Amino acid sequence: MISRLLKQIKPKAKSVIVTIYGDAITHHGGSAWLGSIIKLAAPLGLNERVVRTSVFRLAKEDWLVADQVGRRSYYRLTEAGRHRFDTAHSRIYHHASRPWDGHWTFVIIDFAALKGKNGEALRSDLRWQGFGQLTAGVMLHPDPDKAALHQALTDADASKHALVMHAAAETAPAPAAVRGLVERCWDLQRLAADYAAFLDTFRPVWQALHHAAHLDPETCFVVRTLLMHSYRRVLLRDPKLPDELLEANWPGASARLLCSNLYRLVQAAAEQHVLAQLETADGAVPAAHPSYFMRFGGLGRAADAA
């Protein structure tokens, strides 16, 4: 099963290590001996040389920083890396859908007029937040995170150049017009296909493990890591539009339910493997914060890791 998963997903080493940090190491203090990272990555098909190279590159990209203790290197998240993880975690593990009020938020700005690379950085940040591109200088979203939008404009030094508008249609718009607007601004067909591929990949894994008499800790750790690696790749491209703007039977909802159920199934055994392999500069691995066991809106309980 693991061999089939690795062949299907073909995960890139650096991305897998990011997932290992995000889903395991950060919840046990956030620092790990390089040898522990190598051990955790081994059953995912990554050899020592590949892991060392990937960790070095993540350090160069300001994700990780090394603390030297004797002859050993312990890698922890930088402040920038932790901020990226915290932002991603809020999108992956905490999802609250609320009714749409029919309003749209527009960001009108000449991206090319911003200094240096701020224009492209801002456009990328807004897309990551789920904004769609209406025209070259107009992006929109039906229900954005206003605090995140304000922060993005501040970071790009664009607050004085951007016009942010909040508006609704004067009359009830025709469904075809709304559908056309959504199709123009977001590639939901590709997103739906990616969610469908995720479901096809992990439904057999759920069926196999759900009926298993024994859950092997290492296998569960590999499944959990590949599960979150694959789910993250799709979810972080999802604009999370209100249900009213999505097609019936949107596969994103089924993907989230499958991910939650499979995660819950393998979580405790996977944690056993993490605790057995992980070593910090202080030796003993700190217990995960209770909030770790409440992901996906109440996934698991602290006692499950015992």
PDB file of all heavy atoms in Angstrom, residues 140-173:
ATOM      1  N   LEU A 140     -10.860  40.013  -6.760  1.00  0.00           N
ATOM      2  CA  LEU A 140     -12.069  39.993  -5.946  1.00  0.00           C
ATOM      3  C   LEU A 140     -12.211  38.701  -5.170  1.00  0.00           C
ATOM      4  O   LEU A 140     -11.610  37.674  -5.515  1.00  0.00           O
ATOM      5  CB  LEU A 140     -13.315  40.208  -6.814  1.00  0.00           C
ATOM      6  CG  LEU A 140     -13.842  39.017  -7.644  1.00  0.00           C
ATOM      7  CD1 LEU A 140     -15.258  39.306  -8.117  1.00  0.00           C
ATOM      8  CD2 LEU A 140     -12.945  38.701  -8.819  1.00  0.00           C
ATOM      9  N   HIS A 141     -13.011  38.776  -4.106  1.00  0.00           N
ATOM     10  CA  HIS A 141     -13.322  37.603  -3.289  1.00  0.00           C
ATOM     11  C   HIS A 141     -14.672  37.848  -2.615  1.00  0.00           C
ATOM     12  O   HIS A 141     -14.973  38.981  -2.220  1.00  0.00           O
ATOM     13  CB  HIS A 141     -12.239  37.385  -2.220  1.00  0.00           C
ATOM     14  CG  HIS A 141     -12.288  36.020  -1.589  1.00  0.00           C
ATOM     15  ND1 HIS A 141     -13.237  35.665  -0.661  1.00  0.00           N
ATOM     16  CD2 HIS A 141     -11.502  34.934  -1.759  1.00  0.00           C
ATOM     17  CE1 HIS A 141     -13.038  34.404  -0.299  1.00  0.00           C
ATOM     18  NE2 HIS A 141     -11.990  33.939  -0.942  1.00  0.00           N
ATOM     19  N   PRO A 142     -15.511  36.817  -2.484  1.00  0.00           N
ATOM     20  CA  PRO A 142     -16.824  37.015  -1.874  1.00  0.00           C
ATOM     21  C   PRO A 142     -16.792  37.152  -0.354  1.00  0.00           C
ATOM     22  O   PRO A 142     -17.700  37.744   0.231  1.00  0.00           O
ATOM     23  CB  PRO A 142     -17.600  35.760  -2.293  1.00  0.00           C
ATOM     24  CG  PRO A 142     -16.544  34.740  -2.517  1.00  0.00           C
ATOM     25  CD  PRO A 142     -15.363  35.474  -3.079  1.00  0.00           C
ATOM     26  N   ASP A 143     -15.769  36.621   0.296  1.00  0.00           N
ATOM     27  CA  ASP A 143     -15.741  36.674   1.766  1.00  0.00           C
ATOM     28  C   ASP A 143     -14.304  36.531   2.265  1.00  0.00           C
ATOM     29  O   ASP A 143     -13.933  35.525   2.851  1.00  0.00           O
ATOM     30  CB  ASP A 143     -16.620  35.552   2.345  1.00  0.00           C
ATOM     31  CG  ASP A 143     -16.787  35.676   3.855  1.00  0.00           C
ATOM     32  OD1 ASP A 143     -16.608  36.786   4.382  1.00  0.00           O
ATOM     33  OD2 ASP A 143     -17.079  34.643   4.493  1.00  0.00           O
ATOM     34  N   PRO A 144     -13.455  37.534   2.030  1.00  0.00           N
ATOM     35  CA  PRO A 144     -12.043  37.411   2.390  1.00  0.00           C
ATOM     36  C   PRO A 144     -11.800  37.606   3.883  1.00  0.00           C
ATOM     37  O   PRO A 144     -12.657  38.106   4.615  1.00  0.00           O
ATOM     38  CB  PRO A 144     -11.393  38.533   1.583  1.00  0.00           C
ATOM     39  CG  PRO A 144     -12.453  39.598   1.547  1.00  0.00           C
ATOM     40  CD  PRO A 144     -13.751  38.849   1.421  1.00  0.00           C
ATOM     41  N   ASP A 145     -10.610  37.227   4.293  1.00  0.00           N
ATOM     42  CA  ASP A 145     -10.139  37.517   5.646  1.00  0.00           C
ATOM     43  C   ASP A 145      -9.644  38.962   5.630  1.00  0.00           C
ATOM     44  O   ASP A 145      -8.589  39.263   5.082  1.00  0.00           O
ATOM     45  CB  ASP A 145      -9.002  36.545   6.011  1.00  0.00           C
ATOM     46  CG  ASP A 145      -8.494  36.738   7.428  1.00  0.00           C
ATOM     47  OD1 ASP A 145      -8.505  37.880   7.929  1.00  0.00           O
ATOM     48  OD2 ASP A 145      -8.056  35.739   8.039  1.00  0.00           O
ATOM     49  N   LYS A 146     -10.402  39.863   6.243  1.00  0.00           N
ATOM     50  CA  LYS A 146     -10.084  41.292   6.146  1.00  0.00           C
ATOM     51  C   LYS A 146      -8.753  41.626   6.803  1.00  0.00           C
ATOM     52  O   LYS A 146      -8.006  42.484   6.319  1.00  0.00           O
ATOM     53  CB  LYS A 146     -11.218  42.116   6.749  1.00  0.00           C
ATOM     54  CG  LYS A 146     -12.514  42.047   5.952  1.00  0.00           C
ATOM     55  CD  LYS A 146     -13.599  42.893   6.586  1.00  0.00           C
ATOM     56  CE  LYS A 146     -14.852  42.911   5.722  1.00  0.00           C
ATOM     57  NZ  LYS A 146     -15.411  41.559   5.496  1.00  0.00           N
ATOM     58  N   ALA A 147      -8.440  40.958   7.905  1.00  0.00           N
ATOM     59  CA  ALA A 147      -7.167  41.215   8.582  1.00  0.00           C
ATOM     60  C   ALA A 147      -5.995  40.782   7.705  1.00  0.00           C
ATOM     61  O   ALA A 147      -4.985  41.485   7.598  1.00  0.00           O
ATOM     62  CB  ALA A 147      -7.129  40.498   9.920  1.00  0.00           C
ATOM     63  N   ALA A 148      -6.130  39.625   7.068  1.00  0.00           N
ATOM     64  CA  ALA A 148      -5.066  39.132   6.190  1.00  0.00           C
ATOM     65  C   ALA A 148      -4.903  40.036   4.978  1.00  0.00           C
ATOM     66  O   ALA A 148      -3.781  40.286   4.524  1.00  0.00           O
ATOM     67  CB  ALA A 148      -5.367  37.700   5.757  1.00  0.00           C
ATOM     68  N   LEU A 149      -6.010  40.551   4.435  1.00  0.00           N
ATOM     69  CA  LEU A 149      -5.948  41.469   3.309  1.00  0.00           C
ATOM     70  C   LEU A 149      -5.214  42.750   3.695  1.00  0.00           C
ATOM     71  O   LEU A 149      -4.320  43.213   2.975  1.00  0.00           O
ATOM     72  CB  LEU A 149      -7.360  41.802   2.826  1.00  0.00           C
ATOM     73  CG  LEU A 149      -7.485  42.921   1.788  1.00  0.00           C
ATOM     74  CD1 LEU A 149      -6.684  42.601   0.541  1.00  0.00           C
ATOM     75  CD2 LEU A 149      -8.959  43.161   1.442  1.00  0.00           C
ATOM     76  N   HIS A 150      -5.560  43.300   4.832  1.00  0.00           N
ATOM     77  CA  HIS A 150      -4.897  44.521   5.308  1.00  0.00           C
ATOM     78  C   HIS A 150      -3.410  44.291   5.502  1.00  0.00           C
ATOM     79  O   HIS A 150      -2.580  45.134   5.127  1.00  0.00           O
ATOM     80  CB  HIS A 150      -5.546  44.982   6.610  1.00  0.00           C
ATOM     81  CG  HIS A 150      -4.849  46.152   7.246  1.00  0.00           C
ATOM     82  ND1 HIS A 150      -4.958  47.433   6.758  1.00  0.00           N
ATOM     83  CD2 HIS A 150      -4.008  46.219   8.321  1.00  0.00           C
ATOM     84  CE1 HIS A 150      -4.218  48.247   7.503  1.00  0.00           C
ATOM     85  NE2 HIS A 150      -3.640  47.535   8.453  1.00  0.00           N
ATOM     86  N   GLN A 151      -3.046  43.135   6.064  1.00  0.00           N
ATOM     87  CA  GLN A 151      -1.641  42.830   6.302  1.00  0.00           C
ATOM     88  C   GLN A 151      -0.879  42.692   4.987  1.00  0.00           C
ATOM     89  O   GLN A 151       0.262  43.139   4.862  1.00  0.00           O
ATOM     90  CB  GLN A 151      -1.511  41.542   7.126  1.00  0.00           C
ATOM     91  CG  GLN A 151      -0.084  41.240   7.591  1.00  0.00           C
ATOM     92  CD  GLN A 151       0.443  42.309   8.520  1.00  0.00           C
ATOM     93  OE1 GLN A 151      -0.192  42.662   9.505  1.00  0.00           O
ATOM     94  NE2 GLN A 151       1.622  42.845   8.204  1.00  0.00           N
ATOM     95  N   ALA A 152      -1.505  42.058   3.991  1.00  0.00           N
ATOM     96  CA  ALA A 152      -0.860  41.897   2.686  1.00  0.00           C
ATOM     97  C   ALA A 152      -0.589  43.251   2.045  1.00  0.00           C
ATOM     98  O   ALA A 152       0.489  43.477   1.472  1.00  0.00           O
ATOM     99  CB  ALA A 152      -1.726  41.038   1.775  1.00  0.00           C
ATOM    100  N   LEU A 153      -1.549  44.164   2.115  1.00  0.00           N
ATOM    101  CA  LEU A 153      -1.367  45.499   1.542  1.00  0.00           C
ATOM    102  C   LEU A 153      -0.273  46.258   2.281  1.00  0.00           C
ATOM    103  O   LEU A 153       0.539  46.965   1.673  1.00  0.00           O
ATOM    104  CB  LEU A 153      -2.680  46.279   1.593  1.00  0.00           C
ATOM    105  CG  LEU A 153      -3.819  45.738   0.722  1.00  0.00           C
ATOM    106  CD1 LEU A 153      -5.108  46.502   0.991  1.00  0.00           C
ATOM    107  CD2 LEU A 153      -3.450  45.811  -0.759  1.00  0.00           C
ATOM    108  N   THR A 154      -0.212  46.088   3.596  1.00  0.00           N
ATOM    109  CA  THR A 154       0.824  46.753   4.396  1.00  0.00           C
ATOM    110  C   THR A 154       2.207  46.203   4.063  1.00  0.00           C
ATOM    111  O   THR A 154       3.157  46.957   3.871  1.00  0.00           O
ATOM    112  CB  THR A 154       0.528  46.577   5.890  1.00  0.00           C
ATOM    113  OG1 THR A 154      -0.748  47.153   6.199  1.00  0.00           O
ATOM    114  CG2 THR A 154       1.602  47.258   6.740  1.00  0.00           C
ATOM    115  N   ASP A 155       2.312  44.878   3.984  1.00  0.00           N
ATOM    116  CA  ASP A 155       3.603  44.242   3.700  1.00  0.00           C
ATOM    117  C   ASP A 155       4.148  44.662   2.336  1.00  0.00           C
ATOM    118  O   ASP A 155       5.364  44.757   2.150  1.00  0.00           O
ATOM    119  CB  ASP A 155       3.474  42.720   3.757  1.00  0.00           C
ATOM    120  CG  ASP A 155       3.229  42.205   5.171  1.00  0.00           C
ATOM    121  OD1 ASP A 155       3.432  42.977   6.124  1.00  0.00           O
ATOM    122  OD2 ASP A 155       2.808  41.040   5.306  1.00  0.00           O
ATOM    123  N   ALA A 156       3.264  44.874   1.378  1.00  0.00           N
ATOM    124  CA  ALA A 156       3.684  45.261   0.024  1.00  0.00           C
ATOM    125  C   ALA A 156       3.798  46.780  -0.133  1.00  0.00           C
ATOM    126  O   ALA A 156       4.061  47.260  -1.237  1.00  0.00           O
ATOM    127  CB  ALA A 156       2.701  44.707  -0.998  1.00  0.00           C
ATOM    128  N   ASP A 157       3.596  47.507   0.969  1.00  0.00           N
ATOM    129  CA  ASP A 157       3.636  48.974   0.933  1.00  0.00           C
ATOM    130  C   ASP A 157       2.665  49.503  -0.112  1.00  0.00           C
ATOM    131  O   ASP A 157       2.977  50.414  -0.887  1.00  0.00           O
ATOM    132  CB  ASP A 157       5.059  49.465   0.644  1.00  0.00           C
ATOM    133  CG  ASP A 157       5.239  50.956   0.948  1.00  0.00           C
ATOM    134  OD1 ASP A 157       4.460  51.487   1.756  1.00  0.00           O
ATOM    135  OD2 ASP A 157       6.158  51.573   0.374  1.00  0.00           O
ATOM    136  N   ALA A 158       1.459  48.900  -0.116  1.00  0.00           N
ATOM    137  CA  ALA A 158       0.483  49.228  -1.156  1.00  0.00           C
ATOM    138  C   ALA A 158      -0.779  49.877  -0.606  1.00  0.00           C
ATOM    139  O   ALA A 158      -1.705  50.158  -1.369  1.00  0.00           O
ATOM    140  CB  ALA A 158       0.097  47.956  -1.915  1.00  0.00           C
ATOM    141  N   SER A 159      -0.822  50.156   0.685  1.00  0.00           N
ATOM    142  CA  SER A 159      -2.055  50.681   1.288  1.00  0.00           C
ATOM    143  C   SER A 159      -2.499  51.996   0.653  1.00  0.00           C
ATOM    144  O   SER A 159      -3.702  52.263   0.515  1.00  0.00           O
ATOM    145  CB  SER A 159      -1.863  50.866   2.797  1.00  0.00           C
ATOM    146  OG  SER A 159      -1.591  49.625   3.418  1.00  0.00           O
ATOM    147  N   LYS A 160      -1.533  52.819   0.259  1.00  0.00           N
ATOM    148  CA  LYS A 160      -1.873  54.125  -0.324  1.00  0.00           C
ATOM    149  C   LYS A 160      -2.212  54.030  -1.808  1.00  0.00           C
ATOM    150  O   LYS A 160      -2.675  55.006  -2.407  1.00  0.00           O
ATOM    151  CB  LYS A 160      -0.713  55.097  -0.117  1.00  0.00           C
ATOM    152  CG  LYS A 160      -0.429  55.427   1.345  1.00  0.00           C
ATOM    153  CD  LYS A 160       0.729  56.409   1.459  1.00  0.00           C
ATOM    154  CE  LYS A 160       1.012  56.748   2.909  1.00  0.00           C
ATOM    155  NZ  LYS A 160       2.153  57.699   3.052  1.00  0.00           N
ATOM    156  N   HIS A 161      -1.950  52.882  -2.410  1.00  0.00           N
ATOM    157  CA  HIS A 161      -2.167  52.726  -3.846  1.00  0.00           C
ATOM    158  C   HIS A 161      -3.386  51.876  -4.178  1.00  0.00           C
ATOM    159  O   HIS A 161      -3.818  51.865  -5.331  1.00  0.00           O
ATOM    160  CB  HIS A 161      -0.936  52.086  -4.489  1.00  0.00           C
ATOM    161  CG  HIS A 161       0.335  52.841  -4.223  1.00  0.00           C
ATOM    162  ND1 HIS A 161       0.706  53.961  -4.931  1.00  0.00           N
ATOM    163  CD2 HIS A 161       1.318  52.632  -3.303  1.00  0.00           C
ATOM    164  CE1 HIS A 161       1.866  54.414  -4.479  1.00  0.00           C
ATOM    165  NE2 HIS A 161       2.261  53.622  -3.495  1.00  0.00           N
ATOM    166  N   ALA A 162      -3.900  51.159  -3.192  1.00  0.00           N
ATOM    167  CA  ALA A 162      -4.995  50.219  -3.442  1.00  0.00           C
ATOM    168  C   ALA A 162      -6.336  50.815  -3.044  1.00  0.00           C
ATOM    169  O   ALA A 162      -6.459  51.516  -2.035  1.00  0.00           O
ATOM    170  CB  ALA A 162      -4.759  48.928  -2.676  1.00  0.00           C
ATOM    171  N   LEU A 163      -7.337  50.526  -3.845  1.00  0.00           N
ATOM    172  CA  LEU A 163      -8.711  50.888  -3.517  1.00  0.00           C
ATOM    173  C   LEU A 163      -9.451  49.593  -3.201  1.00  0.00           C
ATOM    174  O   LEU A 163      -9.582  48.719  -4.063  1.00  0.00           O
ATOM    175  CB  LEU A 163      -9.376  51.608  -4.696  1.00  0.00           C
ATOM    176  CG  LEU A 163     -10.845  51.999  -4.527  1.00  0.00           C
ATOM    177  CD1 LEU A 163     -11.017  52.949  -3.348  1.00  0.00           C
ATOM    178  CD2 LEU A 163     -11.380  52.625  -5.808  1.00  0.00           C
ATOM    179  N   VAL A 164      -9.911  49.470  -1.963  1.00  0.00           N
ATOM    180  CA  VAL A 164     -10.640  48.274  -1.530  1.00  0.00           C
ATOM    181  C   VAL A 164     -12.111  48.635  -1.422  1.00  0.00           C
ATOM    182  O   VAL A 164     -12.484  49.565  -0.693  1.00  0.00           O
ATOM    183  CB  VAL A 164     -10.109  47.752  -0.179  1.00  0.00           C
ATOM    184  CG1 VAL A 164     -10.901  46.523   0.264  1.00  0.00           C
ATOM    185  CG2 VAL A 164      -8.621  47.426  -0.290  1.00  0.00           C
ATOM    186  N   MET A 165     -12.942  47.915  -2.147  1.00  0.00           N
ATOM    187  CA  MET A 165     -14.366  48.205  -2.179  1.00  0.00           C
ATOM    188  C   MET A 165     -15.168  46.978  -1.767  1.00  0.00           C
ATOM    189  O   MET A 165     -14.797  45.842  -2.097  1.00  0.00           O
ATOM    190  CB  MET A 165     -14.789  48.647  -3.588  1.00  0.00           C
ATOM    191  CG  MET A 165     -14.059  49.869  -4.091  1.00  0.00           C
ATOM    192  SD  MET A 165     -14.546  50.329  -5.789  1.00  0.00           S
ATOM    193  CE  MET A 165     -16.276  50.734  -5.518  1.00  0.00           C
ATOM    194  N   HIS A 166     -16.255  47.218  -1.066  1.00  0.00           N
ATOM    195  CA  HIS A 166     -17.156  46.162  -0.616  1.00  0.00           C
ATOM    196  C   HIS A 166     -18.522  46.476  -1.207  1.00  0.00           C
ATOM    197  O   HIS A 166     -19.100  47.527  -0.918  1.00  0.00           O
ATOM    198  CB  HIS A 166     -17.210  46.153   0.915  1.00  0.00           C
ATOM    199  CG  HIS A 166     -17.911  44.978   1.501  1.00  0.00           C
ATOM    200  ND1 HIS A 166     -17.496  43.676   1.288  1.00  0.00           N
ATOM    201  CD2 HIS A 166     -18.996  44.901   2.309  1.00  0.00           C
ATOM    202  CE1 HIS A 166     -18.297  42.862   1.942  1.00  0.00           C
ATOM    203  NE2 HIS A 166     -19.225  43.582   2.565  1.00  0.00           N
ATOM    204  N   ALA A 167     -19.017  45.601  -2.082  1.00  0.00           N
ATOM    205  CA  ALA A 167     -20.237  45.929  -2.814  1.00  0.00           C
ATOM    206  C   ALA A 167     -21.089  44.697  -3.062  1.00  0.00           C
ATOM    207  O   ALA A 167     -20.626  43.560  -2.961  1.00  0.00           O
ATOM    208  CB  ALA A 167     -19.879  46.578  -4.145  1.00  0.00           C
ATOM    209  N   ALA A 168     -22.359  44.956  -3.385  1.00  0.00           N
ATOM    210  CA  ALA A 168     -23.295  43.890  -3.739  1.00  0.00           C
ATOM    211  C   ALA A 168     -24.074  44.330  -4.972  1.00  0.00           C
ATOM    212  O   ALA A 168     -24.161  45.527  -5.283  1.00  0.00           O
ATOM    213  CB  ALA A 168     -24.256  43.603  -2.586  1.00  0.00           C
ATOM    214  N   ALA A 169     -24.649  43.384  -5.684  1.00  0.00           N
ATOM    215  CA  ALA A 169     -25.450  43.698  -6.872  1.00  0.00           C
ATOM    216  C   ALA A 169     -26.709  44.460  -6.461  1.00  0.00           C
ATOM    217  O   ALA A 169     -27.284  44.210  -5.389  1.00  0.00           O
ATOM    218  CB  ALA A 169     -25.821  42.410  -7.602  1.00  0.00           C
ATOM    219  N   GLU A 170     -27.137  45.399  -7.293  1.00  0.00           N
ATOM    220  CA  GLU A 170     -28.328  46.188  -6.996  1.00  0.00           C
ATOM    221  C   GLU A 170     -29.575  45.319  -7.008  1.00  0.00           C
ATOM    222  O   GLU A 170     -30.510  45.539  -6.238  1.00  0.00           O
ATOM    223  CB  GLU A 170     -28.476  47.329  -8.001  1.00  0.00           C
ATOM    224  CG  GLU A 170     -27.446  48.437  -7.816  1.00  0.00           C
ATOM    225  CD  GLU A 170     -27.755  49.640  -8.701  1.00  0.00           C
ATOM    226  OE1 GLU A 170     -28.761  49.593  -9.434  1.00  0.00           O
ATOM    227  OE2 GLU A 170     -26.997  50.616  -8.630  1.00  0.00           O
ATOM    228  N   THR A 171     -29.600  44.353  -7.914  1.00  0.00           N
ATOM    229  CA  THR A 171     -30.733  43.419  -7.984  1.00  0.00           C
ATOM    230  C   THR A 171     -30.183  42.002  -7.937  1.00  0.00           C
ATOM    231  O   THR A 171     -28.986  41.775  -8.157  1.00  0.00           O
ATOM    232  CB  THR A 171     -31.532  43.620  -9.288  1.00  0.00           C
ATOM    233  OG1 THR A 171     -30.666  43.411 -10.397  1.00  0.00           O
ATOM    234  CG2 THR A 171     -32.114  45.026  -9.347  1.00  0.00           C
ATOM    235  N   ALA A 172     -31.055  41.064  -7.664  1.00  0.00           N
ATOM    236  CA  ALA A 172     -30.621  39.665  -7.601  1.00  0.00           C
ATOM    237  C   ALA A 172     -30.022  39.258  -8.941  1.00  0.00           C
ATOM    238  O   ALA A 172     -30.710  39.289  -9.976  1.00  0.00           O
ATOM    239  CB  ALA A 172     -31.800  38.775  -7.254  1.00  0.00           C
ATOM    240  N   PRO A 173     -28.734  38.894  -8.971  1.00  0.00           N
ATOM    241  CA  PRO A 173     -28.100  38.555 -10.250  1.00  0.00           C
ATOM    242  C   PRO A 173     -28.585  37.214 -10.777  1.00  0.00           C
ATOM    243  O   PRO A 173     -28.963  36.322 -10.017  1.00  0.00           O
ATOM    244  CB  PRO A 173     -26.618  38.501  -9.894  1.00  0.00           C
ATOM    245  CG  PRO A 173     -26.597  38.132  -8.443  1.00  0.00           C
ATOM    246  CD  PRO A 173     -27.814  38.785  -7.841  1.00  0.00           C
TER     247      PRO A 173
END
